[in-house]
């Protein structure tokens, strides 16, 4: 009998890759989606309409909201999942400074609502909480691993810290199989256009095609550990297949600056980024995280996981995808 998985945030970058992975492994996949006046789910369109057959859907979407415990309870009761992956959230750090209450309500309290629903209805299900390298903030310890002290520097990071410790608490207090994946930055052609990596690759492609003249960014010196989202979802799945629940850092172990990303993306298109890029302080965070790089030794040792796509391959993959998207006349994700 196939396993059942429930994914919150299934319409996002990570959710779409995880859904594909689970389908390949024979899972029944259910996704939590919010009701809205318009339906715009480009990342999972190919999964909701398989093979062009209008009646065939490879995933089952259910309406619910991380703000609403009643809807979460209904979905968990109806699905009876074996595994629950909580990927839902307000995921943009800069936006969290402008919408701190909303970010906390979804990213922090939303995770608590889901954990409590699972405790009451499906305590034997395995739970994954999407944590973030933003938990580490401007720590002086490098690289960061599972034992590095947290020092969050944004409403987003503080909200994720609440969810992290709630996951640990429910594991220890109620014996839930609950794990945290502390994922460092992970990108793909499905990354949202408001994130700096996708903003760079999409702008570079537009400039190359004569559709854009300038690109405005914030801190070009910020250094991040960037990996490929599809690789990271494999690590996420592996976490829930272990005999005992635990928390894991997922990262490449390499740090690159925003300038490095610009150089790779623009030079790939035979462009000099310095001719097109300017900075504006309005894109700076009130409190910046200057550099993070992860130590995924534990994930490599216990999960047998390692990244397959390197930095250069990732950037070029994203540039190629955006060029193809623009040449086909399609809108960005």
């Amino acid at each position: 009998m196939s396993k059942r998985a429930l994914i919150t945030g299934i319409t996002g970058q990570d959710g779409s890759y995880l859904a594909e992975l689970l389908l390949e492994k024979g899972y029944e996949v259910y996704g939590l989606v919010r009701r809205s006046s318009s339906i715009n789910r480009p990342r999972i369109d190919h999964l909701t309409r398989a093979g062009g057959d209008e009646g065939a859907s490879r995933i089952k979407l259910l309406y619910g909201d991380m703000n609403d415990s009643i809807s979460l309870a209904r979905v968990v009761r109806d699905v009876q999942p074996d595994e629950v992956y909580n990927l839902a959230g307000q995921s943009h750090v800069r936006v969290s400074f402008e919408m701190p209450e909303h970010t906390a309500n979804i990213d922090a309290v939303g995770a608590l609502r889901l954990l409590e629903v699972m405790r009451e209805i499906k305590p034997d299900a395995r739970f994954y909480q999407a944590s973030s390298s933003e938990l580490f903030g401007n720590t002086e310890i490098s690289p960061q691993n599972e034992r590095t002290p947290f020092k969050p520097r944004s409403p987003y990071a503080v909200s994720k810290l609440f969810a992290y410790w709630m996951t640990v608490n429910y594991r220890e207090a109620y014996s839930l199989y609950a794990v945290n994946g502390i994922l460092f930055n992970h990108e793909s052609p499905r990354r949202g256009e408001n994130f700096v990596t996708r903003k760079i690759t999409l702008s570079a492609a537009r400039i190359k095609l004569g559709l854009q003249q300038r690109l405005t960014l914030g801190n070009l010196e910020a250094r991040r550990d960037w990996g490929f989202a599809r690789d990271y979802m494999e690590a996420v799945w592996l976490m829930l297949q272990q005999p005992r629940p635990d928390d894991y850092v997922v990262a490449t172990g390499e740090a690159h600056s925003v300038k490095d990303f610009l150089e790779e993306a623009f030079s790939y298109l035979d462009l000099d980024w310095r001719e097109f890029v300017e900075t504006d302080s309005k894109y700076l965070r009130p409190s910046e995280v200057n550099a993070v790089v992860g130590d995924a030794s534990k994930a490599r040792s216990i999960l047998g996981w390692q990244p397959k796509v390197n930095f250069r391959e990732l950037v070029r993959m994203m540039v190629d995808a955006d060029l193809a998207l623009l040449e086909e006349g399609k809108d960005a994700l």
Side-chain angles (χ1 to χ4, degrees), residues 29-54:
V29 177
Y30 296 79
L32 186 77
V33 294
R34 291 175 295 170
R35 283 194 180 273
S36 62
S37 57
S38 61
I39 298 177
N40 184 27
R41 301 165 186 160
R43 295 181 183 89
I44 59 171
D45 279 347
H46 63 298
L47 300 178
T48 56
R49 290 291 180 264
D53 180 354
E54 289 300 312

Side-chain angles (χ1 to χ4, degrees), residues 118-177:
M118 289 183 59
R119 183 179 76 86
E120 292 283 349
I121 298 174
K122 199 69 171 65
D124 61 332
R126 298 189 169 196
F127 176 81
Y128 170 81
Q129 170 60 28
S131 285
S132 167
S133 60
E134 291 288 332
L135 297 179
F136 297 118
N138 270 343
T139 178
E140 296 178 359
I141 300 172
S142 184
Q144 297 88 44
N145 60 30
E146 295 81 3
R147 297 178 300 279
T148 304
F150 298 133
K151 189 180 179 182
R153 286 175 58 82
S154 68
Y156 169 79
V158 172
S159 299
K160 283 293 189 180
L161 184 61
F162 177 94
Y164 173 93
W165 283 117
M166 275 299 172
T167 300
V168 173
N169 184 261
Y170 271 68
R171 180 170 72 217
E172 295 177 348
Y174 305 117
S175 298
L176 290 188
Y177 190 109

Side-chain angles (χ1 to χ4, degrees), residues 13 21 61 72 80 122 191 206 288 331:
Q13 168 190 258
L21 176 67
L61 301 180
L72 294 177
Q80 291 292 306
K122 199 69 171 65
R191 192 56 143 155
R206 284 174 170 161
E288 184 61 79
D331 293 331

Side-chain angles (χ1 to χ4, degrees), residues 220-274:
L220 303 187
E221 303 300 331
R223 297 179 64 81
R224 296 291 183 269
D225 185 330
W226 280 301
F228 179 39
R230 178 60 167 75
D231 288 349
Y232 284 33
M233 290 306 101
E234 291 181 1
V236 166
W237 175 76
L238 286 167
M239 291 178 204
L240 294 197
Q241 314 312 310
Q242 305 308 306
R244 292 182 299 276
D246 206 346
D247 307 317
Y248 299 88
V249 161
V250 180
T252 70
E254 297 181 6
H256 297 272
S257 68
V258 175
K259 281 185 178 179
D260 293 337
F261 205 102
L262 284 165
E263 178 65 34
E264 187 60 47
F266 277 75
S267 64
Y268 181 49
L269 298 175
D270 296 319
L271 299 171
D272 184 348
W273 66 269
R274 296 168 188 81

Side-chain angles (χ1 to χ4, degrees), residues 295-316:
D295 173 9
S297 298
K298 182 177 176 180
R300 292 173 187 265
S301 174
I302 298 177
L303 304 181
W305 175 88
Q306 61 182 3
K308 299 181 180 71
V309 176
N310 65 34
F311 177 73
R312 170 174 289 186
E313 291 168 341
L314 173 63
V315 178
R316 294 185 174 192

